[in-house]
Amino acid sequence: MAATTTPPPWQWPIPRPLQYLFDAVPLRVYEATELPARSQPATSDTLPSLYVFATAEDARRGRPSFNPGCLKWQTYLRLAGVPFRLVASTNHASPTGALPFLLPPRSTTSCSTSPIPSSQLASYAEKTHAVSPSTPLSVVANIPSSSVLRSEAYQSLVDHPLRNAWLYALYLDRRHTSLLDTFYTGPASSSGLVRATLRRQLRHAAEGEILKMGSYLSGAAAGTAVVDGDRVVREAGEALEALAGVLAESGTGWFFGAEGPSLFDCAVFAYTFLMVEYMAGPGEKGSREGDVWLGDMVRKAGEGELEGHRVRILRAAFGEGS
Amino acid sequence: MSLQLHVWGPGLGLASVDAECLASIAFFSRFVDAGEYVLIQSSPSAVPTHQLPALYDVNTQSWHSGFPSITHHLQAILILPEVQQQPTRKTRSDAVAYASYLAQHALPLITLSLYVSSANYTTTVRPAYSAILPFPLGWTEPPALRAAMVRRAEHLGMSSLDADADAEREENAQRAEAAAGWVQVPRGLLARKRGVGELLAPEQKARIRLEGLAREVLDVLAAVDWDGQDGAMQCLAWAYLALMLVPRVPRAWLRETMMRDYEGLCAFVERSMERWFVDEVQALPWSDKKAQDGVVRVGGRFANGLLGDVPGLGQAWRRWLARRRGRGALKMDGEGSGELLRIAGAGVVLVTSALLWRKIPQFGAPVQIWQREIPSFLGIGAAGLMLSGLAGSDAWI
């Protein structure tokens, strides 16, 4: 029987003029465009990629990032002996909106390839180390349990006075506007207008961040909380002194008597390194009376403990001299 | 009487409702003779530094704001034998670290308990501020302070304690739903789901997380030997801990956690309170007058508070004020004042264009009006000129 061949459903006949038109100009689907060449190494690698704020040149050579949060984890992973590649990026690239994050290599079958935010990087490093003990010996030590609670109090010195001083110096202090342009506004756009707007937004955000801290709160009732630069710098100075003091007390050269550098050391290094690298001031002859430079403060804190600590970590993690 | 200490006034069963103010009062009560200083109830908008606690030294005519600079100034001008034993490097480092820790971690905890939680705020904290502040300021300053405090504790993710904000959100959601749907069910007919969750207060629902947050902070503080710290540090720690323990609030999760698991800290708070304060809060040398109580000043502060709340304009206004105050310290160029100018400029342009729009004749209007020329002397030649000269100069125009 002819039942096997069902007639096709009835269609409207195509009008002649349209038929001619489509015959003359046929629809054609082009091949998908290749990804740009520079995106290739970002995904098709066997190494995990760490996305950080950095200039393209620094990222290629594996040099330290210019963002303290990123540098802390970059240092940590390097000390832990986890091999990774650095990718210069911005926080728009991050699934959580924050850098750094680590993208595991696509070739691995054991772990998932979803990005790892910074809060889970420590456990990732431990896991990688356990999987492949052939990686260089993990030098990341833990703080002795007797000092863990005390170290939390000192961590708040890094998270607030030092961070505020860095924010103040980079965003609000006009001496470092060129630095801000090189780091953040320059790569974002080449238009002067966009850069100026961006700079303004960044400044307001930094100011809000500093003002959120404890002792500015009472000014909120008066409606006019204002960032007091001298106070920010003074508090940072006290914090650096205190950190130098506790480092001297430790005796091993690492914080809280640990055998090797711990995550806390990395957090301190992230700020001291950047302050010395970019905010060291013009030296003896160029500096004006009353000018305070964060880099100089780091160098002079205590009896130079922090400077020695910075050099030690720089050598251990990045293999560079002072 | 050469020292005036301006602080937030007493409330919540303590000498001050603010931690740093409370610490300063404790420090004065411990180390300075009662005859040498006077306490003045104030608010940040009444002192030139816009920050409390503030110390005014009549001799040097200088203002010092914030607990660290006050204690620093006191140690410079007075001989305080109990404080001035040479601290070791360790004590000094610890003092800096714990002061920072208290401000960054203990304060958000107090904020959750006293400001974010609607029940505690409306029943105890707001009345306390209303009693401290002169009449209309109770409407502008506590809400601004609460908003700032809530922002301070945002990172802990406990905004669910703020039942006011929750209710508002729910109402908005319902309104949006009603607007989207085409059948409107009257509210009375809606079946309400009443589970156990409905009956619990937000603090009860979040109890485990709240206790976890409290424990994280209190564990660190309980590991410290406070009696071994220097005097100023003891006062500061006591002030923060007292604000956790002493206020009688309806949702007392922080107080209960402390009483149950941190006996050492509770003992420290009570012991110090007995030792440092002579007997009652009233025995402190409070001044009778409140700072700058004049009608004009209070009115000015009130107007300032209102202006700061105007949507859109308020932000720029505050920023402009802050910039004007802080230009010297901040070394910033006039970025903020430009904004206020721009807003004012935009306003002027808007008003002018509206006026112009109404003045401009409409082109191609459906009704055209011609009027007869008003007869004047100019129409009749030389004689007219003469006549108009007699009539007055107006006709020349």
Side-chain angles (χ1 to χ4, degrees):
Chain A
M1 297 286 282
T4 48
T5 55
T6 49
W10 184 80
Q11 286 178 344
W12 285 96
I14 296 170
R16 269 297 134 128
L18 271 185
Q19 180 81 54
Y20 287 138
L21 182 66
F22 277 91
D23 284 345
V25 190
L27 278 180
R28 189 171 159 204
V29 179
Y30 286 97
E31 295 286 311
T33 320
E34 288 281 307
L35 283 173
R38 66 191 145 83
S39 76
Q40 286 300 319
T43 48
S44 62
D45 224 347
T46 49
L47 284 177
S49 325
L50 185 70
Y51 287 74
V52 294
F53 284 109
T55 57
E57 173 67 13
D58 281 357
R60 207 171 46 74
R61 294 167 51 200
R63 292 211 62 235
S65 155
F66 55 73
N67 175 288
C70 297
L71 181 55
K72 171 184 166 185
W73 288 105
Q74 188 188 352
T75 315
Y76 180 82
L77 291 179
R78 288 198 73 132
L79 286 174
V82 176
F84 64 90
R85 261 173 13 84
L86 218 54
V87 182
S89 178
T90 73
N91 50 352
H92 298 291
S94 165
T96 58
L99 288 181
F101 67 95
L102 190 82
L103 204 60
R106 286 198 303 184
S107 55
T108 45
T109 46
S110 53
C111 4
S112 71
T113 51
S114 56
I116 298 162
S118 58
S119 55
Q120 288 161 25
L121 278 177
S123 63
Y124 174 83
E126 269 166 34
K127 226 185 320 175
T128 329
H129 189 64
V131 169
S132 56
S134 64
T135 48
L137 175 72
S138 161
V139 272
V140 176
N142 287 322
I143 292 170
S145 57
S146 58
S147 299
V148 168
L149 290 176
R150 190 157 166 245
S151 79
E152 280 189 35
Y154 280 87
Q155 181 68 46
S156 79
L157 285 182
V158 180
D159 291 343
H160 299 287
L162 284 194
R163 177 163 175 265
N164 285 354
W166 172 255
L167 290 177
Y168 175 78
L170 181 59
Y171 294 96
L172 301 182
D173 191 341
R174 293 298 191 253
R175 292 178 302 180
H176 295 302
T177 304
S178 61
L179 207 58
L180 180 60
D181 283 342
T182 339
F183 286 171
Y184 295 108
T185 54
S189 167
S190 55
S191 143
L193 204 64
V194 175
R195 278 188 195 181
T197 315
L198 208 59
R199 211 180 296 138
R200 230 168 71 89
Q201 286 174 347
L202 285 172
R203 281 195 172 130
H204 282 313
E207 201 180 355
E209 230 7 65
I210 298 175
L211 286 181
K212 226 166 72 174
M213 297 342 303
S215 38
Y216 288 101
L217 274 180
S218 63
T224 54
V226 58
V227 175
D228 178 354
D230 294 339
R231 197 170 117 204
V232 171
V233 173
R234 193 175 62 238
E235 281 176 356
E238 282 171 6
L240 288 171
E241 285 296 329
L243 287 169
V246 80
L247 186 59
E249 183 194 310
S250 147
T252 58
W254 310 108
F255 279 98
F256 303 108
E259 290 304 312
S262 62
L263 190 54
F264 188 88
D265 291 88
C266 301
V268 174
F269 168 77
Y271 283 99
T272 55
F273 171 79
L274 290 175
M275 286 173 181
V276 171
E277 183 85 359
Y278 297 108
M279 296 173 181
E284 288 294 316
K285 43 182 187 287
S287 71
R288 276 173 297 159
E289 192 70 25
D291 259 10
V292 186
W293 298 89
L294 287 177
D296 295 343
M297 282 165 60
V298 171
R299 287 214 176 106
K300 288 176 191 149
E303 286 147 19
E305 287 95 347
L306 286 178
E307 171 67 4
H309 178 256
R310 181 187 75 87
V311 172
R312 270 196 299 282
I313 291 205
L314 193 60
R315 202 171 295 144
F318 297 95
E320 292 177 27
S322 58
Chain B
M1 266 334 162
S2 64
L3 298 171
Q4 299 177 351
L5 184 62
H6 294 248
V7 288
W8 281 110
L12 308 171
L14 288 163
S16 173
V17 290
D18 177 77
E20 282 203 18
C21 292
L22 192 55
S24 314
I25 295 174
F27 191 83
F28 270 81
S29 150
R30 249 180 106 181
F31 298 117
V32 184
D33 285 338
E36 288 187 35
Y37 71 102
V38 62
L39 294 175
I40 298 179
Q41 281 191 34
S42 184
S43 111
S45 59
V47 295
T49 52
H50 283 210
Q51 194 199 341
L52 290 185
L55 178 71
Y56 181 64
D57 188 338
V58 178
N59 291 336
T60 60
Q61 302 206 328
S62 56
W63 285 92
H64 304 270
S65 274
F67 182 68
S69 65
I70 286 177
T71 52
H72 195 258
H73 181 70
L74 274 186
Q75 290 178 30
I77 59 164
L78 299 174
I79 314 287
L80 303 173
E82 299 93 330
V83 200
Q84 245 176 7
Q85 31 181 289
Q86 273 307 315
T88 60
R89 197 172 179 191
K90 179 169 187 291
T91 355
R92 230 172 27 227
S93 304
D94 276 359
V96 175
Y98 284 115
S100 164
Y101 188 80
L102 285 170
Q104 314 316 334
H105 296 272
L107 186 66
L109 212 55
I110 295 172
T111 302
L112 279 187
S113 156
L114 295 182
Y115 294 87
V116 179
S117 161
S118 306
N120 291 351
Y121 178 75
T122 46
T123 52
T124 51
V125 180
R126 196 168 58 193
Y129 275 106
S130 303
I132 296 165
L133 290 164
F135 160 60
L137 293 182
W139 292 345
T140 53
E141 298 198 358
L145 188 67
R146 187 188 185 198
M149 287 288 202
V150 168
R151 269 201 304 283
R152 183 72 191 81
E154 236 168 18
H155 64 283
L156 297 175
M158 297 301 300
S159 57
S160 65
L161 299 189
D162 191 352
D164 299 339
D166 251 12
E168 199 174 305
R169 217 174 299 137
E170 202 168 290
E171 208 170 279
N172 282 343
Q174 270 177 2
R175 209 175 300 141
E177 207 172 287
W182 52 279
V183 179
Q184 301 238 346
V185 183
R187 277 194 94 169
L189 292 180
L190 282 172
R192 295 200 60 190
K193 275 183 251 157
R194 290 200 73 94
V196 180
E198 281 278 304
L199 297 173
L200 290 175
E203 282 82 357
Q204 287 168 312
K205 277 192 242 177
R207 182 70 186 229
I208 292 175
R209 280 179 61 204
L210 284 174
E211 282 195 10
L213 291 173
R215 246 171 251 281
E216 269 176 30
V217 177
L218 292 173
D219 274 342
V220 174
L221 296 180
V224 187
D225 170 28
W226 291 111
D227 293 321
Q229 303 287 331
D230 73 68
M233 191 60 231
Q234 284 175 7
C235 292
L236 196 60
W238 172 79
Y240 280 98
L241 291 170
L243 269 177
M244 296 183 191
L245 187 67
V246 177
R248 298 299 165 114
V249 287
R251 309 276 159 77
W253 51 272
L254 189 53
R255 181 184 151 82
E256 282 162 15
T257 311
M258 250 179 112
M259 302 252 283
R260 198 176 58 234
D261 296 333
Y262 299 92
E263 282 163 15
L265 289 179
C266 297
F268 167 70
V269 172
E270 274 153 26
R271 197 172 59 227
S272 311
M273 188 128 76
E274 281 166 18
R275 219 188 303 155
W276 299 345
F277 292 101
V278 187
D279 42 0
E280 283 294 305
V281 170
Q282 275 72 26
L284 291 164
W286 286 103
S287 158
D288 294 334
K289 72 174 184 81
K290 290 182 179 176
Q292 299 185 349
D293 231 354
V295 177
V296 178
R297 292 299 308 234
V298 170
R301 284 155 64 189
F302 184 63
N304 184 19
L306 282 186
L307 212 61
D309 277 340
V310 177
L313 185 68
Q315 277 292 329
W317 167 251
R318 287 182 174 203
R319 213 173 284 145
W320 180 74
L321 264 191
R323 285 275 186 288
R324 215 188 48 171
R325 270 194 340 101
R327 187 162 300 152
L330 204 55
K331 301 183 192 83
M332 286 183 82
D333 51 25
E335 204 173 64
S337 61
E339 184 154 335
L340 206 69
L341 278 180
R342 268 199 294 282
I343 289 186
V348 169
V349 168
L350 217 71
V351 171
T352 328
S353 50
L355 286 177
L356 273 179
W357 177 249
R358 300 195 53 174
K359 283 280 178 196
I360 289 174
Q362 292 180 338
F363 303 111
V367 183
Q368 303 272 343
I369 301 172
W370 276 271
Q371 280 178 327
R372 275 182 70 189
E373 202 176 324
I374 300 160
S376 86
F377 296 119
L378 286 173
I380 49 174
L385 268 178
M386 244 158 64
L387 281 171
S388 66
L390 290 174
S393 58
D394 281 1
W396 283 103
I397 300 162

